[in-house]
Amino acid sequence: MNYMKDVWILRIGHRPERDQRVTTHVGLTGRALGAGGMYLASDDRGVKKSIEDVASRWGGEFKVENNVSWKKVIRDWQDAGGKVVHLTMYGISVTDAMPKIQDCEKVLVVVGAEKVPGDMYGLADYNVSVTTQPHSEISSLAIFMDHLFEGKTLDLDFEGAEIKVIPTECGKRFEN
Amino acid sequence: MNYMKDVWILRIGHRPERDQRVTTHVGLTGRALGAGGMYLASDDRGVKKSIEDVASRWGGEFKVENNVSWKKVIRDWQDAGGKVVHLTMYGISVTDAMPKIQDCEKVLVVVGAEKVPGDMYGLADYNVSVTTQPHSEISSLAIFMDHLFEGKTLDLDFEGAEIKVIPTECGKRFEN
């Protein structure tokens, strides 16, 4: 798979009892739309395993790093010249922010659960909102990634896939 | 709020014990991006209430119709001249399908949970995939809506809102 940019997800605020399904959707959305991996700022090997199981069957190199320190990930990313984009309904609009973000080669996308620590806003290079309405961190990430890559990651080819879907008007077609 | 098209969501396959959070995200994503309401093909008043509670505080007219018959909703919609778009990873790509769908004034977007009845594929006017990878029905819906409205619903104004976010570079700003 040819990543045009180096994009990773940082998932913060994940609660292992409550958020497994949503965090799994966050990771898979990132993967499907061109992210290289996800840092999980919480200890949840089940989520790591379920995302990496999908990745091993459907191809590509997507990785989940479990139980990271989110502040250290942000610092390391910025030290390496990357920019940190925090998705929040309070930020500036994705369409206004996008031209600047598209100039960055390395983008860390921070996706919070319900409660986000207050200092996240100051640590981010960009606080970006996908609509100013309450909806879903999964949809915010999806639209952000689609805009970042200008739709080019909607039909990525994943290397080493065991399963591949062949688009069809009705029903299901696979290639093995 | 000025809907450019009449778009509703039909959520099928919802299991009240397991899917409340994902279905709530589906409804809120639809609302934030310009849908008029959601039909829920399952009996779950908790989901209806939590989505409508958000809608009453954040404005607009979004409604949830609980416990509908999904086949009847599809038939009624088609009888009224509407088109039915089923989001599925097996369908034709959203970019290929979009020009035809954008010609429709009334669009019913069917969002399935894990298992979708086989006859859904034949009942839909369009089976549409947002990538051919497994990720999330929430992200598929978000990208579909954003493409359908060509980004114009990313900054909708919701009438009668008690709360309104003012986009800002850092922190949180509200208007009451």
Side-chain angles (χ1 to χ4, degrees):
Chain A
M1 182 164 39
N2 180 18
Y3 296 120
M4 288 151 283
K5 287 174 187 291
D6 187 15
V7 177
W8 273 62
I9 313 300
L10 168 60
R11 173 65 163 166
I12 61 175
H14 170 86
R15 297 153 297 178
E17 330 73 47
R18 279 206 50 181
D19 296 329
Q20 290 184 319
R21 196 141 159 237
V22 171
T23 298
T24 302
H25 285 213
V26 165
L28 293 179
T29 296
R31 173 189 171 275
L33 295 166
M38 179 171 84
Y39 301 104
L40 179 58
S42 176
D43 185 11
D44 195 330
R45 281 173 235 185
V47 163
K48 174 180 165 70
K49 185 176 181 314
S50 67
I51 295 171
E52 289 184 348
D53 280 355
V54 170
S56 78
R57 273 176 293 136
W58 291 82
E61 304 279 326
F62 195 86
K63 289 282 167 249
V64 177
E65 294 205 11
N66 188 47
N67 208 15
V68 302
S69 150
W70 63 275
K71 287 193 178 174
K72 184 173 183 311
V73 168
I74 289 173
R75 209 166 41 233
D76 288 352
W77 200 267
Q78 288 171 330
D79 285 350
K83 295 291 183 188
V84 175
V85 175
H86 172 218
L87 298 180
T88 160
M89 63 188 289
Y90 304 103
I92 58 170
S93 87
V94 64
T95 37
D96 289 347
M98 200 45 82
K100 279 188 189 168
I101 297 170
Q102 280 176 331
D103 285 341
C104 312
E105 280 307 302
K106 279 172 70 70
V107 180
L108 180 70
V109 190
V110 184
V111 178
E114 273 169 42
K115 301 249 170 166
V116 168
D119 42 358
M120 187 58 238
Y121 295 86
L123 292 170
D125 294 292
Y126 303 100
N127 290 288
V128 169
S129 67
V130 176
T131 86
T132 54
Q133 297 296 313
H135 50 100
S136 172
E137 60 264 51
I138 302 166
S139 42
S140 293
L141 176 64
I143 290 177
F144 176 81
M145 296 288 290
D146 188 37
H147 284 228
L148 179 65
F149 287 115
E150 298 175 311
K152 293 189 194 84
T153 54
L154 287 172
D155 59 351
L156 286 176
D157 198 27
F158 288 82
E159 270 177 37
E162 287 170 28
I163 326 169
K164 216 171 208 172
V165 167
I166 313 295
T168 183
E169 289 196 4
C170 192
K172 304 183 184 184
R173 286 177 65 205
F174 294 97
E175 186 182 277
N176 291 306
Chain B
M1 183 165 35
N2 181 18
Y3 294 120
M4 288 151 282
K5 288 175 186 294
D6 187 15
V7 177
W8 273 61
I9 313 300
L10 168 60
R11 173 64 163 166
I12 62 176
H14 169 86
R15 297 152 297 177
E17 331 71 49
R18 279 208 50 183
D19 297 329
Q20 291 185 320
R21 197 142 158 236
V22 171
T23 298
T24 301
H25 285 212
V26 165
L28 293 178
T29 296
R31 173 187 170 274
L33 295 167
M38 179 171 82
Y39 301 103
L40 180 59
S42 177
D43 186 11
D44 195 331
R45 281 174 236 186
V47 164
K48 174 181 165 69
K49 187 176 180 313
S50 67
I51 296 172
E52 290 185 347
D53 280 355
V54 170
S56 77
R57 274 176 292 135
W58 291 82
E61 305 277 326
F62 195 86
K63 290 282 167 248
V64 178
E65 294 205 11
N66 188 47
N67 208 14
V68 302
S69 149
W70 63 276
K71 287 194 177 173
K72 186 174 183 311
V73 167
I74 288 173
R75 210 166 40 232
D76 288 352
W77 199 268
Q78 287 170 331
D79 285 350
K83 295 291 182 187
V84 174
V85 175
H86 172 219
L87 297 181
T88 160
M89 64 188 290
Y90 305 102
I92 57 170
S93 87
V94 64
T95 38
D96 289 347
M98 200 43 83
K100 279 188 188 169
I101 297 171
Q102 280 176 329
D103 286 341
C104 311
E105 280 307 303
K106 280 171 70 72
V107 179
L108 181 69
V109 190
V110 184
V111 178
E114 274 168 42
K115 300 249 171 170
V116 167
D119 43 358
M120 186 60 237
Y121 295 85
L123 292 170
D125 296 291
Y126 303 100
N127 291 288
V128 170
S129 67
V130 176
T131 85
T132 54
Q133 297 296 312
H135 50 99
S136 171
E137 60 263 54
I138 302 166
S139 42
S140 293
L141 177 64
I143 290 177
F144 176 81
M145 295 289 289
D146 188 38
H147 284 227
L148 180 64
F149 287 115
E150 298 176 311
K152 294 190 193 83
T153 55
L154 287 172
D155 60 350
L156 285 176
D157 197 27
F158 288 81
E159 270 177 37
E162 288 169 28
I163 327 169
K164 217 172 205 170
V165 167
I166 313 295
T168 184
E169 288 195 5
C170 192
K172 304 183 184 183
R173 285 176 66 205
F174 292 97
E175 186 182 276
N176 292 305

